[in-house]
Amino acid sequence: METKKLSELTDQELLQEAKKKKSAAVMNALLIGFLAGIIFFSVAKNTLGFLTLIPLFFIYKLVNNSEYDNSELENLLKERGLK
């Protein structure tokens, strides 16, 4: 699917992007918390090793998967008076 620039989106599409971004942020927070719990459990059981690094990699990927910049999206919503 071809991604558009945020400024090219209609008002309805912009609101949908904001809604998707909010729900994705909540889901990412839950997954990051779960993976951090796995890491803490692993460290508490003294099994620090390669299997501890796998959740760290997934946390990194979850944090850096943003398609659009949050500040740009918020600025466009304010500019158009949508929020």
Side-chain angles (χ1 to χ4, degrees):
M1 188 169 133
E2 186 177 314
T3 58
K4 297 180 181 180
K5 291 183 181 179
L6 283 177
S7 59
E8 296 174 354
L9 295 176
T10 63
D11 290 347
Q12 194 67 10
E13 290 173 332
L14 200 60
L15 286 172
Q16 286 176 349
E17 282 297 321
K19 191 174 188 179
K20 282 195 293 187
K21 192 140 203 70
K22 189 174 185 178
S23 64
V26 170
M27 192 62 174
N28 283 346
L30 288 172
L31 287 172
I32 289 171
F34 176 73
L35 292 171
I38 291 173
I39 292 170
F40 289 134
F41 180 77
S42 176
V43 170
K45 290 291 184 178
N46 295 325
T47 56
L48 188 62
F50 181 71
L51 292 177
T52 306
L53 296 177
I54 294 172
L56 285 175
F57 172 74
F58 286 128
I59 288 172
Y60 172 77
K61 290 304 241 180
L62 285 171
V63 169
N64 290 323
N65 72 347
S66 179
E67 186 175 338
Y68 298 116
D69 186 23
N70 282 340
S71 61
E72 184 181 357
L73 181 63
E74 291 297 321
N75 287 338
L76 276 174
L77 287 171
K78 286 179 186 176
E79 182 180 302
R80 294 183 186 183
L82 297 174
K83 240 182 180 178

